[in-house]
Amino acid sequence: MRSGAADLALTGAPVWTGDRCSPWTDAVAVRGDRIVALGLEAVREVTGRHTREIHSTGGLVVPGFQDAHIHPPVAGHNRLGVWLNELEGREPYLRHIAQHAADHPDDAWIIGGGWAMEHFPGGTPRKEDLDAIVPDRPVFLMNRDVHGAWVNSRALEVAGMTRATPDPSDGRIERDPDSGEPSGTLHEGAAYSYQDRFLPTPTRADWAAAILESQSYLHSLGITGWQDAWVSPATLDAYTSLAESRALTARVVGALWWDRHRGLEQIPELLTQREGGAAPGFHPTTVKIMVDGVMENHTGALLEPYCDGCGGHTDNVGLTYVEPDLLAAAVTELDRSGFQVHFHAIGDRAVRTTLDAIEAARRANGRGDLRHHVAHVQLVQPEDVPRFRELDVVANCQPYWAQLEPQMDELTLPFLGRDRSERQYPFGDFVRAGVRMAMGSDWSVTTANPLEEMEVAVTRVDPENRDNAPFLPEQAIPLAVALAGFTSGAAHVNHDDDAGTVALGNRADLTVLDRNLFAEGSGPIGDAQVDCTIASGVVVHERPSS
């Protein structure tokens, strides 16, 4: 570490270091991209004439937030197109779509997303609503959880989808109950294959602009790094170009996409992507495997069938997109090749199948330090909770989902039944079992704001409806644990051992909040604001009013 005056000094606010042995200090100094002093006395010793001092009375300094599961290219693309995430309800959606179409008369397609299933009967919007406002151009809008799409009649015509079109093996075309014609909602593989086959292909410049749009927004939320949970060859190319040009100011891990329609023959291609895509600050060292779907459209994989919503049962146990034997073989080979594996597992059958696959890889290859992790973990059977620790698997939690809200009330609880409903998002059980946790937002599925996410982890209540009853309050976790999930926990998953805590020699990724979250009377966690974000020693965001 070179000598000389610090470039930055953060003073005036307590510093939560994230170090269990020494969790607090009162100042931080930064030189270049490294933390060089802790504590006011030491910081004053390295403060020189040209040191910039950021003094934050009444605030709080924490390690820079990291997000362990997020989708910035898609979110940024939608933000630059039709962005419905911040609207609520069918009519606001339609007004916004109509206005966008009117403002972009030369666009051949209307593309975007962010609608929520809860605002439509059965969670399935219809084509007629879109036909009434955009009759002449195809419309394709992914929903908020990115597991389905809302399309108009023109979009169905482009694909030649009719009542005779069969459902794909990994998805479903929603149909009119009387005519059998496609009604305007495409689920899972039906939406993904449509997207791949018919939508205009974004250029590298398009994807780069989308990533930069998201990066600016994420920096404003105190986020200095993330793991992109769905990196395609096209977005890999965009990330690499941004990293090489130093425009990527966040540290990013890319999870390369496992094609569930193929097998082990794709691994050499993933190795080529890993080797060719790496650049300073961008690390395509992970493979993402989608094991199942989601509860709301009954594609999450369950050990026992879904209920019918009226007290009975169906014969539907959801979908698994990679069969258990292939999953075990794939994980074993990826593990042997040095890949971290990032799993999507929502239902209890998906979680168990995933743990079984990791166990098979452990038997074949022994234990390494690849830090495999299972995202979402919505429904976990009690006997599977301790297996995470036994197998050294990280539970990658999306805490904002652990609340009572319309989608949970209407599309999940009636179809799981009481016993299974009470096993959802078992964060408290993970803590009690000593399971390592990381946290992510899954943005743009829900908010990217780590502070709002943490509030739900701590309270199990929607920050927008704080009078609601808490959802399974015995699964709430302490603030320090939630904060660690978005700092050291996510940094661990991202193999970012130089960050995640405020320590001498660590990379200077720091977030300055406008209040001390731990202080009595500081108000709800989700109401805190980010005053300043520092990534690798560079101030990448400052709130104007601060």
Side-chain angles (χ1 to χ4, degrees), residues 94-109:
L94 293 172
R95 285 195 296 270
H96 184 82
I97 298 163
Q99 188 61 55
H100 179 89
D103 291 342
H104 299 82
D106 297 327
D107 287 359
W109 286 73

Side-chain angles (χ1 to χ4, degrees), residues 16 18 24 60 62 65 431 439 450-459 476-488 513 515-520 522-526 528:
W16 184 81
W24 295 98
L60 177 68
V62 298
F65 298 139
V431 172
M439 291 190 174
L451 295 161
E452 294 177 345
E453 299 263 349
M454 282 186 262
E455 180 174 332
V456 178
V458 171
T459 67
I477 59 177
L479 171 59
V481 176
L483 191 50
F486 276 104
T487 53
S488 59
L513 305 178
R515 68 195 70 183
N516 183 349
L517 303 178
F518 293 90
E520 186 176 352
S522 63
I525 299 166

Side-chain angles (χ1 to χ4, degrees), residues 147 188 290-295 297 299-301 319-321 344-347:
H147 287 268
E188 300 290 341
M290 197 94 163
V291 180
D292 68 343
V294 295
M295 297 295 190
N297 65 11
T299 57
L319 299 176
T320 50
Y321 299 133
H344 165 116
I346 288 276

